[in-house]
Amino acid sequence: MEDNKLFNEFPPVSTEKWEEVINKDLKGADYEKKLVWRTIEGFKVKPYYRAEDLEGLEYLDSNPGQIPYTRGKHASDNVWDVRQDIHVEDPVEANRVALDAVRRGATSLGLCMRKVNNVDEMTTLFNGIYISAISVNFMCSEDYLQTLKLYVEYAQRQGVDTKELEGSCNFDMFRYALKNGKFHRGEEGDLDMAKQLVDYAAEHLPKFRVLTVNGNLLHNAGSNIVQELGFSLAAANELVARLSERGCKMERAARNILMNFGIGSTYFMEMAKIRAARLLWSKIVEQYKPECDCAYKLFINATTSEWNQSLYDPYVNMLRSTTEAMSACIAGADSISVLPFDNAYKEADDFGYRIARNQQLLLKEESYLDKIADPAAGSYYIENLTDQIAKGAWEHFVKVEEMGGYCKALREGYVQDEVEKTAQQRDLDIATRKTTILGTNQYPNLLEKMGEKVENGKCCCCCEKGDEVRTLKPYRGAEPFEHLRLATEKSAKRPRVFLLTYGNLAMRKARAGFATNFFGVAGYEIIDNPGFATPEEGAKAALESGADIVVLCSSDDEYTELTKPVCDMLKGKVNTLVLAGFPKEMVETYKGYGIDEFIHVKTNVLDCLTNFQHKFEIL
């Protein structure tokens, strides 16, 4: 039969030809600056990729369901558990929430109860829930071994075969150390407890994973993707190596590890991170020469980002967590936890839980993303990102191993230093609005009031702190801007900003919009205007408004005729005169007229507004 391939009549187009056309369209603009994205991880992302960019990637020859599992652990589908994490201490209320979750589509429960005292409380907790049909994950127990024993006792009373039960324990000695400054039982004591949990699970709960590595702690402390991945793999490897020294079979230790990653809003890179995690884990496990392939199958839970969540305009959190969950499911995560959209300021309620759960159900029931193995297959872009992230994370992993392992790296502060350096850069990007947090540092809802909605006393760790390990503090990137606006809400005086618009319609509207966003993120009252015919008319209206801040909004050329007359009329009569823009050659002249501040795209908005808050005695 004749081989008639689609588009055979069209000649191939070389990369050089593409580049030639692109450079022509750029009309002399810098290719690197205009089209190449420089990630915070330190590598460059090109504007397009071709098959030649994937040359040499050996793992591309594997299929889904095959080692190294880069393409996922399932050969014919992409199923994942819809996990709902329930932060409720009372067993009766926890049961009510859990039962509702299971009835409405959750297939995995995360239960955060510090202590279950006896089997009767365990019975209350699971009343009406078929534990053999779901995955049960104990998240913050004071004594995980005791909790597991009570769970096994409860299951046996129900006539359930415990060897078929699925679930996990959030036992993470490294997370505890990073949050509390010390190991719970000492480093060796925690490792002994890990060994006891693994041995107990092997006998009674062989399908449980009783050791967790919470990479999401690093994510929520401001780390970048390669740091979270590299350090998480180093932590997992430390567990395998140290438990092997205690007589635990490598395969048993490895298959008991659950990796909990935070998932941010860099959509494709988060997909690549999870794929790279499975690739690198296979590379690590291979060195132990395991007797069972089960050691290669890393179990990954993905939790949507807390770092990305905002207090103001909180419904945007729904959009953020939807894209995050989509990244995780396309990448083949084993289970996904979507945080309630209002998690930043209140304890979860039924509405928040329902929306979080339904976000995943939509991805399953309406988008069918669970039906196809490796939905990202064939993307030159994602495969290239997977390779770059794997290489970057491997460098961090090797560095930790050269230092003597993850525990030593924590004690020496290497992990903390690296994460904090990245967090500082991310904070600067938010402060200068290089990174946009919608509704917080850009495009605020000027009428929104959130202070009265913030619930105090949200769950926090009250353990005694130590100085054995330097701690890492999870936070949200939006917090500094929220602090400014909450202070304005609480203040007896809300500063008024008058926009003195003049001249060229397009420029005055653009700069008025910029100024509105600029001062709006601090919660200031904005007085906009359609434009004034003369500088004197605008200055007179500004005085009559009683504004604290007057912002001149015009074009650079027209500032030469606007600034001096306005300053002559307003200097000393209003608190602050601001000019929107930065006409470099005239800045000193305008300062001489009386302009106090210039606001523009390169301004550190956070620092500038903080100074205003101090000036008005709001902070």
Side-chain angles (χ1 to χ4, degrees):
M1 182 181 294
E2 184 181 353
D3 185 11
N4 291 320
K5 292 186 177 179
L6 187 63
F7 299 138
N8 237 8
E9 64 271 26
F10 295 101
V13 180
S14 67
T15 300
E16 290 74 18
K17 189 65 176 177
W18 276 109
E19 292 292 308
E20 181 183 327
V21 173
I22 290 171
N23 280 302
K24 181 180 179 180
D25 289 344
L26 284 172
K27 298 178 181 178
D30 189 295
Y31 184 101
E32 288 275 326
K33 290 182 179 179
K34 286 287 185 180
L35 298 179
V36 176
W37 171 34
R38 291 162 180 80
T39 75
I40 199 167
E41 288 77 15
F43 51 81
K44 297 178 181 180
V45 178
K46 300 192 299 184
Y48 70 98
Y49 288 88
R50 310 193 76 198
E52 62 203 53
D53 292 300
L54 305 186
E55 292 176 0
L57 301 187
E58 296 178 2
Y59 67 83
L60 293 178
D61 294 332
S62 65
N63 292 319
Q66 293 179 353
I67 297 173
Y69 299 112
T70 313
R71 301 188 59 192
K73 294 186 295 185
H74 304 288
S76 59
D77 57 38
N78 186 41
V79 296
W80 74 88
D81 277 333
V82 177
R83 176 166 159 175
Q84 182 166 312
D85 293 337
I86 301 168
H87 294 263
V88 178
E89 285 291 334
D90 177 58
V92 175
E93 177 62 12
N95 171 258
R96 184 194 70 78
V97 176
L99 197 56
D100 181 69
V102 172
R103 286 170 174 168
R104 296 177 184 272
T107 57
S108 178
L109 296 174
L111 302 171
C112 189
M113 298 179 64
R114 282 188 288 271
K115 191 173 183 180
V116 179
N117 293 295
N118 50 56
V119 74
D120 290 335
E121 286 190 3
M122 192 68 76
T123 302
T124 300
L125 179 60
F126 291 107
N127 182 37
I129 297 174
Y130 295 98
I131 57 175
S132 57
I134 62 168
S135 173
V136 174
N137 306 276
F138 296 104
M139 293 177 58
C140 49
S141 174
E142 292 179 356
D143 186 341
Y144 282 109
L145 186 57
Q146 178 63 19
T147 298
L148 287 183
K149 289 179 178 179
L150 289 174
Y151 184 62
V152 167
E153 183 179 350
Y154 163 75
Q156 290 172 341
R157 287 189 182 185
Q158 301 299 312
V160 174
D161 182 2
T162 63
K163 296 186 183 300
E164 295 300 318
L165 295 177
E166 296 183 2
S168 71
C169 286
N170 192 28
F171 178 85
D172 185 348
M173 58 184 283
F174 308 117
R175 177 180 182 271
Y176 186 95
L178 282 169
K179 292 192 72 173
N180 298 288
K182 63 179 182 178
F183 292 98
H184 193 195
R185 304 164 188 80
E187 181 181 326
E188 297 300 324
D190 280 351
L191 287 166
D192 289 340
M193 176 53 67
K195 174 70 162 50
Q196 291 180 51
L197 286 168
V198 169
D199 289 344
Y200 184 82
E203 182 178 355
H204 299 284
L205 296 163
K207 292 189 176 182
F208 254 63
R209 290 168 177 84
V210 295
L211 307 176
T212 299
V213 174
N214 284 289
N216 67 326
L217 173 65
L218 305 179
H219 170 93
N220 290 321
S223 76
N224 63 40
I225 280 175
V226 297
Q227 288 170 341
E228 180 190 7
L229 177 53
F231 294 144
S232 296
L233 290 170
N237 184 58
E238 179 100 344
L239 288 172
V240 173
R242 301 287 290 276
L243 289 177
S244 296
E245 293 171 358
R246 283 166 163 72
C248 180
K249 291 190 68 173
M250 178 272 160
E251 295 82 3
R252 179 176 292 181
R255 72 149 313 276
N256 265 285
I257 292 175
L258 180 148
M259 195 76 76
N260 184 25
F261 288 122
I263 300 295
S265 294
T266 48
Y267 184 65
F268 292 107
M269 289 187 65
E270 291 292 355
M271 291 181 203
K273 177 181 73 179
I274 291 178
R275 301 172 94 247
R278 291 192 294 263
L279 171 65
L280 294 182
W281 181 246
S282 293
K283 185 175 181 178
I284 292 167
V285 167
E286 186 179 26
Q287 305 309 307
Y288 289 93
K289 302 187 185 311
E291 298 175 1
C292 174
D293 286 352
C294 63
Y296 290 96
K297 295 182 179 181
L298 180 65
F299 189 97
I300 295 175
N301 179 68
T303 303
T304 56
S305 176
E306 289 185 68
W307 192 91
N308 281 342
Q309 286 200 332
S310 62
L311 167 63
Y312 286 93
D313 213 348
Y315 292 108
V316 178
N317 292 328
M318 293 185 190
L319 304 180
R320 296 182 181 116
S321 57
T322 297
T323 65
E324 291 161 4
M326 192 171 179
S327 294
C329 72
I330 290 176
D334 297 285
S335 63
I336 302 174
S337 306
V338 176
L339 298 178
F341 74 96
D342 49 7
N343 184 66
Y345 61 93
K346 65 186 292 292
E347 299 294 344
D349 56 20
D350 288 346
F351 180 69
Y353 281 135
R354 179 168 67 87
I355 294 297
R357 187 172 55 246
N358 286 350
Q359 285 170 276
Q360 292 195 62
L361 294 178
L362 286 171
L363 294 175
K364 277 192 172 187
E365 304 301 333
E366 295 196 17
S367 300
Y368 303 112
L369 290 176
D370 61 335
K371 300 295 190 289
I372 301 174
D374 191 17
S379 168
Y380 299 152
Y381 179 39
I382 295 175
E383 297 294 4
N384 191 274
L385 285 180
T386 300
D387 182 58
Q388 290 194 70
I389 290 171
K391 288 176 179 175
W394 189 251
E395 289 178 5
H396 285 295
F397 175 82
V398 170
K399 176 66 175 178
V400 169
E401 291 303 299
E402 290 173 348
M403 296 178 70
Y406 196 66
C407 286
K408 288 186 179 179
L410 289 185
R411 291 183 185 279
E412 294 181 20
Y414 170 71
V415 174
Q416 298 91 321
D417 286 340
E418 292 295 302
V419 171
E420 287 168 359
K421 281 191 290 187
T422 300
Q424 288 170 8
Q425 181 59 54
R426 297 182 78 178
D427 291 343
L428 179 61
D429 288 346
I430 292 171
T432 57
R433 301 201 288 195
K434 183 179 178 181
T435 296
T436 294
I437 302 179
L438 190 66
T440 300
N441 72 345
Q442 281 276 36
Y443 313 114
N445 179 348
L446 301 178
L447 302 178
E448 190 174 29
K449 303 281 187 184
M450 290 300 296
E452 61 189 23
K453 297 182 180 180
V454 177
E455 295 182 1
N456 295 320
K458 284 200 70 178
C459 182
C460 62
C461 183
C462 55
C463 302
E464 180 183 349
K465 303 294 182 181
D467 56 8
E468 186 179 355
V469 173
R470 195 166 89 240
T471 58
L472 269 181
K473 182 182 179 183
Y475 70 105
R476 291 180 297 104
E479 286 179 17
F481 277 95
E482 293 169 354
H483 177 63
L484 293 179
R485 190 162 178 181
L486 287 171
T488 302
E489 285 190 28
K490 295 176 183 177
S491 173
K493 177 176 175 58
R494 183 188 181 195
R496 308 183 79 205
V497 180
F498 184 91
L499 305 182
L500 199 164
T501 52
Y502 173 82
N504 181 278
L505 179 62
M507 287 303 301
R508 79 189 190 212
K509 287 180 70 68
R511 283 178 162 160
F514 179 85
T516 297
N517 275 337
F518 192 99
F519 290 102
V521 300
Y524 292 4
E525 180 184 349
I526 310 297
I527 306 171
D528 201 355
N529 296 283
F532 298 98
T534 66
E536 291 77 14
E537 180 186 333
K540 181 174 180 293
L543 279 175
E544 292 173 350
S545 72
D548 304 287
I549 301 170
V550 175
V551 185
L552 279 61
C553 303
S554 188
S555 66
D556 285 359
D557 290 340
E558 289 167 309
Y559 279 141
T560 58
E561 62 189 69
L562 172 68
T563 308
K564 190 175 188 307
V566 169
C567 288
D568 287 345
M569 290 183 65
L570 298 184
K571 188 176 180 180
K573 296 180 182 178
V574 297
N575 189 296
T576 306
L577 290 171
V578 177
L579 188 145
F582 194 75
K584 189 174 181 180
E585 295 78 9
M586 296 295 293
V587 165
E588 293 305 318
T589 300
Y590 293 156
K591 285 182 178 178
Y593 293 162
I595 296 295
D596 300 297
E597 188 70 59
F598 297 83
I599 58 173
H600 49 91
V601 293
K602 293 186 178 180
T603 300
N604 186 314
V605 181
L606 183 62
D607 285 352
C608 185
L609 289 176
T610 299
N611 291 335
F612 273 108
Q613 295 289 69
H614 287 305
K615 188 174 187 176
F616 292 115
E617 298 182 343
I618 295 173
L619 285 179

